[in-house]
Amino acid sequence: MICLVGFMGAGKSSALVELAAHGLSTADIDRLVETSEGLPVAEIFSTRGEEAFRAAEEREILAALGTGELDAIALGGGSLGSEAVREALSSSDHTVVWIDVDSETAWRRVRASTRPLAQDRDAFEALHAERQASYRAVADVVLPAVTHRVWDRALSSVRLLDRLPEGTRMLWASSRNGEYPVFVGRGLLGSPVFDQEAGVMPGDGRSFLFTDEDVGPIYGAGVGETEASVTVPPGEGAKTMAEFERSQRELTRLGMTRSDLLIALGGGVVGDLAGFCAHTYQRGVPVVQVPTTLVSQVDSSYGGKTGVDLPEGKNYVGAFHLPSAVIADVDTLATLPDAELTAGLAEVVKTALLAGGQLWEEVRNLEPGEILGRSDLIFDCARYKCRVVEADERDTGLRAVLNLGHTVGHAIEAVTGYGRYRHGEAIALGLLAALRLSDADELRAEVHDWQERHGLPVRLDPAVNIEAVLLATGFDKKKTARGVGFVLLPEPGQPEFDCPVPDDRLRAAVEELIR
């Protein structure tokens, strides 16, 4: 059974209409309560009180879940306050879908209604914030509330969860130029998610595998039947125009057509290079991202940024090309070298700092080595990234916040020839510089200790030329005619972007990394 949860104004009732149009039997719990009690919900609240309503609501939910006669139900926004309801929803017979709505949209939709809990804006905002954790805790699927007729495209992916390994979660990523399912879980390689009839793989053409020399032999067989493979060397050194041309010519030699599909299996380098190849090959073919590193599972696989490096700067040549799906099998992290897994933690802590709230609280208390057992944190990082992309797909504003720590980090990578530091290691150093520029001294100290505890670098090699790093920051790809705008973070969850930074302050922040 599909069980819809979410705050008032999320559109659960409208979702039931869409599901009914697909032939599903549906019921709205509020309507069932009104029928059984003989009163509208608002009158039950006003004459009998909220406690009486919650008791009737719980009774109707448990009855609906227990009979198995319905295909989909919509629960009230506060129904997860019942422990009995939460326990009943945890059954593998139910797929819990959180229709995620921001408080501004929710208020705009319900402010003129008679809903008892939508009469005061401040109380409404507080209640919205309070309930987010309960929705997050039970959700198998997260769908955006503002995507028109999303069930027409997402239903097959939601239903597929019944055939995937237990614990798999799905996110529907949506932005102006496209949408796609994101699956995060264990044992996804070799699962039905790669079956053509499952509906995740786009089109009905052939699949071509794009991977690297390390990952392909380990996991290549897990992506289903493929026509042929393109293999590149591992590491950042493969993100070049020369390797891009070689890969394109290899796809041509293999006979790939516009009706075919590219599967990118590997880390961020493979994802960026394969995505750029997919964008430009015969003017565009679909790409499915199958990330196998922590950096790619929490960040780089989402949002469609693709490209290669130039000697002058990282990611200087590229294009936006949204994936058709992202399939993140967390089990692949177990075969990463320790240093590579550790480097990926930089993107985890960066995302948590940007998100603030519960994600930051959980990440700041993460113990070394614990990330391998925390697929929930990987999913939440992906969800944050996709929310930002939804608001600013083409990187003209808000999406710039994802560059926190990257201006200095990318400069360090470029100056050291992409060989001295892994991407995550350079970003870890860049984060410390960004927090110093933000005058967030206590937060910088905490992040410094967190990174040191987890094995990330906190000091720049003294052999690195400071002048060259400062010069390289001027080649940041987000530079405009006004100069380089930095992302600053005065406190968790409150990023500021496009901030000018005086040269002397930047120098001091970078020099501090050596001291």
Side-chain angles (χ1 to χ4, degrees):
M1 179 188 293
I2 295 173
C3 304
L4 307 176
V5 301
F7 199 61
M8 63 185 98
K12 299 186 294 293
S13 297
S14 298
L16 286 182
V17 173
E18 293 182 33
L19 290 170
H22 286 273
L24 277 67
S25 57
T26 67
D28 188 316
I29 293 300
D30 279 356
R31 304 292 81 78
L32 295 181
V33 169
E34 289 179 337
T35 299
S36 66
E37 299 299 305
L39 289 172
V41 169
E43 285 193 36
I44 299 174
F45 265 80
S46 62
T47 61
R48 301 180 187 176
E50 182 174 359
E51 186 175 347
F53 170 76
R54 295 301 175 197
E57 178 184 54
E58 178 186 280
R59 184 172 62 251
E60 293 298 333
I61 292 172
L62 296 179
L65 294 176
T67 62
E69 296 176 355
L70 294 167
D71 298 317
I73 60 172
L75 282 68
S79 58
L80 297 183
S82 163
E83 183 178 353
V85 168
R86 296 196 303 272
E87 183 178 348
L89 288 175
S90 67
S91 167
S92 59
D93 294 333
H94 310 309
T95 300
V96 182
V97 179
W98 174 17
I99 304 180
D100 188 12
V101 64
D102 64 272
S103 60
E104 179 67 32
T105 301
W107 176 254
R108 187 171 65 249
R109 289 177 172 180
V110 306
R111 62 186 176 185
S113 72
T114 59
R115 295 170 186 256
L117 301 179
Q119 303 305 306
D120 177 86
R121 178 65 182 270
D122 290 340
F124 183 90
E125 296 274 359
L127 189 61
H128 179 275
E130 176 188 321
R131 288 181 177 174
Q132 297 305 292
S134 62
Y135 300 141
R136 172 180 178 265
V138 302
D140 302 305
V141 177
V142 182
L143 297 184
V146 295
T147 303
H148 180 63
R149 296 197 63 85
V150 65
W151 286 99
D152 290 349
R153 284 94 60 199
L155 181 56
S156 61
S157 293
V158 172
R159 282 175 156 168
L160 179 62
L161 283 183
D162 290 338
R163 300 173 54 205
L164 298 183
E166 186 175 354
T168 301
R169 300 175 76 190
M170 193 202 99
L171 163 70
W172 191 259
S174 176
S175 54
R176 177 174 297 181
N177 289 286
E179 54 190 353
Y180 53 94
V182 174
F183 295 91
V184 178
R186 299 186 178 280
L188 290 177
L189 285 167
S191 77
V193 73
F194 291 100
D195 294 349
Q196 193 70 42
E197 67 273 13
V200 175
M201 300 292 111
D204 55 5
R206 300 166 299 171
S207 295
F208 287 76
L209 177 63
F210 195 112
T211 188
D212 71 33
E213 295 165 357
D214 288 346
V215 174
I218 303 174
Y219 296 118
V223 301
E225 183 178 347
T226 56
E227 181 73 14
S229 300
V230 174
T231 304
V232 298
E236 192 75 26
K239 272 181 63 174
T240 65
M241 290 298 294
E243 195 62 46
F244 166 72
E245 180 182 1
R246 189 198 68 80
S247 299
Q248 293 282 42
R249 296 185 69 180
E250 181 66 6
L251 290 173
T252 302
R253 188 189 69 80
L254 294 171
M256 187 176 182
T257 71
R258 290 188 67 186
S259 64
D260 296 325
L261 160 73
L262 202 59
I263 298 177
L265 174 70
V269 170
V270 165
D272 285 358
L273 183 55
F276 192 33
C277 285
H279 176 78
T280 52
Y281 185 79
Q282 297 186 359
R283 295 191 174 93
V285 296
V287 62
V288 170
Q289 295 281 356
V290 187
T292 61
T293 65
L294 187 55
V295 169
S296 57
Q297 290 189 2
V298 302
D299 181 75
S300 64
S301 293
Y302 315 100
K305 280 190 177 180
T306 71
V308 297
D309 304 331
L310 295 182
E312 292 80 6
K314 188 178 174 72
N315 298 327
Y316 242 55
V317 179
F320 290 95
H321 190 70
L322 291 174
S324 296
V326 179
I327 302 165
D329 187 337
V330 179
D331 283 344
T332 62
L333 302 183
T335 58
L336 281 180
D338 289 344
E340 192 67 41
L341 183 65
T342 296
L345 288 170
E347 290 290 352
V348 174
V349 72
K350 178 209 78 172
T351 304
L353 285 165
L354 291 171
Q358 185 174 356
L359 184 56
W360 167 237
E361 290 301 321
E362 293 193 18
V363 169
R364 76 194 300 192
N365 294 309
L366 189 71
E367 294 297 326
E370 191 181 357
I371 191 65
L372 288 174
R374 296 298 303 274
S375 60
D376 60 320
L377 291 184
I378 294 170
F379 183 83
D380 286 338
C381 286
R383 189 164 71 87
Y384 177 81
K385 170 76 178 277
C386 291
R387 281 209 315 268
V388 172
V389 172
E390 179 183 0
D392 178 26
E393 180 188 324
R394 295 290 172 163
D395 208 2
T396 58
L398 178 63
R399 188 168 177 173
V401 302
L402 299 172
N403 204 42
L404 178 67
H406 283 58
T407 299
V408 171
H410 282 171
I412 292 171
E413 285 187 274
V415 166
T416 55
Y418 305 104
R420 169 66 181 82
Y421 291 98
R422 291 173 173 82
H423 172 69
E425 293 170 339
I427 298 311
L429 294 167
L431 280 174
L432 296 179
L435 293 173
R436 173 60 69 224
L437 293 171
S438 305
D439 292 323
D441 295 348
E442 290 186 11
L443 184 58
R444 184 191 187 281
E446 181 176 4
V447 173
H448 175 285
D449 292 346
W450 189 95
Q451 292 184 170
E452 194 168 45
R453 190 169 74 252
H454 285 268
L456 286 165
V458 294
R459 292 178 181 83
L460 184 62
D461 185 343
V464 176
N465 188 307
I466 291 290
E467 299 301 327
V469 172
L470 295 173
L471 181 63
T473 61
F475 286 93
D476 187 285
K477 63 183 181 299
K478 292 184 175 60
K479 182 178 180 180
T480 66
R482 294 194 303 106
V484 176
F486 283 75
V487 181
L488 304 181
L489 189 80
E491 57 183 280
Q494 300 296 322
E496 302 170 356
F497 62 92
D498 198 24
C499 301
V501 169
D503 291 345
D504 60 335
R505 294 201 64 214
L506 176 59
R507 176 181 292 275
V510 176
E511 287 179 344
E512 183 181 23
L513 296 176
I514 288 183
R515 293 197 301 271

